[in-house]
Amino acid sequence: MKIGIFGGTFNPVHFGHLRAAEEVSQTFLDKVVFIPTNITSNKKMTGIVPEHRMKMLNMAIKNNKKFESSDIEIRRGGFSYSYDTVVQLQKIYPSDELYFIAGMDAYLDVKSWKNAEEIFDKINFLVVNRSNKKSGLKNLIKLIQFLPDKLKEGVKLDYGENRLILGNNRFVYFLKITRMDISSTEIRKNFKNNVSNLFLLPNEVINYIIKNKLY
Ligand code: ATP
Ligand code: MG
């Protein structure tokens, strides 16, 4: 099976995440596993405990057979590093192909991740556009630019398949998805300012946030 690992803070989950997962699972993957972070080193969590983010996520994905969630980062505790998650998931899914799903904005930071090169040795990447209108080719070139330096040697651009082929025979795919210019940051701001968030995230999640006064 081809399994996508979709990590994020999901603070809160919104239709940008859900639509991205829907499209990659329709065209590419058999299953998407959403993995909320415990603590992300580069983010302020604005007081939202992981359990709330996980509950909202589970509400949002419950009706999609291809979607699952995993609490491995929350159970591991401390800072959440994708490398540790990949190592753990490879043990859980020894005979499946794992793909790391990342929005372009997340991918642009990949060099700074813990053991970045090793992650690219272990699994393939599936990068989706966040909100730009660039052509597929320009996006592939961008994928090369932001690779960890060592991996840039020997990389081939496979335009027909919309992917890079790395020297280690791993792939970095680019998938153009419907642009949804939605972010959790904007949603949190709206809640704070009493501005409507209708149609940006599932109603059940909106109600949960209001009931628990999360933002
Ligand atoms: P924040 O504003 O708090 O950073 P966010 O909306 O960026 O939240 P994250 O939890 O940071 O959401 O994102 C998790 C993953 O989902 C990242 O790989 C990110 O690029 C991707 N992603 C988030 N929003 C979208 C979107 N609207 N379209 C496509 N991918 C998205
Ligand atoms: Mg983000």
Side-chain angles (χ1 to χ4, degrees):
M1 259 205 314
K2 288 183 173 177
I3 302 176
I5 305 171
F6 198 11
T9 40
F10 303 114
N11 185 28
V13 63
H14 54 66
F15 286 137
H17 302 124
L18 296 166
R19 184 67 206 174
E22 176 68 11
E23 292 193 24
V24 295
S25 68
Q26 287 297 315
T27 57
F28 207 89
L29 301 170
D30 301 298
K31 180 157 105 174
V32 175
V33 185
F34 292 74
I35 307 182
T37 55
N38 187 54
I39 308 172
T40 313
S41 52
N42 59 357
K43 272 196 184 175
K44 282 200 221 129
M45 294 312 292
T46 63
I48 298 302
V49 294
E51 287 70 21
H52 277 311
R53 291 183 282 115
M54 182 57 121
K55 267 195 196 155
M56 294 189 278
L57 179 62
N58 284 335
M59 284 174 198
I61 65 174
K62 66 175 182 238
N63 291 324
N64 191 316
K65 285 199 190 90
K66 286 183 156 189
F67 292 178
E68 276 177 24
S69 67
S70 162
D71 62 356
I72 55 171
E73 295 196 348
I74 297 173
R75 269 191 289 134
R76 215 164 56 225
F79 289 112
S80 303
Y81 295 108
S82 298
Y83 174 80
D84 300 335
T85 302
V86 166
V87 168
Q88 235 177 316
L89 286 178
Q90 277 189 320
K91 289 186 188 140
I92 299 173
Y93 301 108
S95 49
D96 296 292
E97 260 179 274
L98 300 182
Y99 290 79
F100 198 97
I101 303 170
M104 187 57 101
D105 64 306
Y107 177 86
L108 296 184
D109 280 338
V110 77
K111 262 187 222 185
S112 69
W113 295 7
K114 177 186 161 190
N115 299 352
E117 285 162 20
E118 283 87 347
I119 301 179
F120 282 91
D121 266 335
K122 289 184 174 298
I123 60 171
N124 302 305
F125 270 72
L126 195 51
V127 181
V128 300
N129 52 293
R130 179 85 195 240
S131 58
N132 69 49
K133 283 186 192 158
K134 285 199 182 70
S135 71
L137 182 60
K138 278 202 180 132
N139 276 305
L140 283 177
I141 292 168
K142 206 164 164 188
L143 293 186
I144 299 180
Q145 280 171 353
F146 286 86
L147 271 176
D149 288 331
K150 266 197 196 153
L151 298 172
K152 287 181 186 168
E153 291 162 32
V155 61
K156 288 195 201 102
L157 201 155
D158 182 1
Y159 187 50
E161 297 287 337
N162 265 312
R163 65 182 181 184
L164 308 179
I165 306 175
L166 304 184
N168 59 10
N169 279 325
R170 289 281 178 202
F171 303 114
V172 180
Y173 284 88
F174 177 75
L175 238 77
K176 213 174 173 97
I177 56 164
T178 306
R179 280 184 294 122
M180 306 270 276
D181 197 359
I182 303 175
S183 74
S184 303
T185 302
E186 210 56 43
I187 289 171
R188 290 193 301 272
K189 255 189 230 159
N190 288 344
F191 276 114
K192 226 176 152 189
N193 299 327
N194 275 319
V195 173
S196 164
N197 270 310
L198 212 52
F199 311 123
L200 295 177
L201 69 171
N203 286 337
E204 202 181 337
V205 177
I206 294 181
N207 292 336
Y208 182 87
I209 291 168
I210 294 171
K211 191 173 152 219
N212 292 284
K213 303 189 178 74
L214 294 191
Y215 303 110

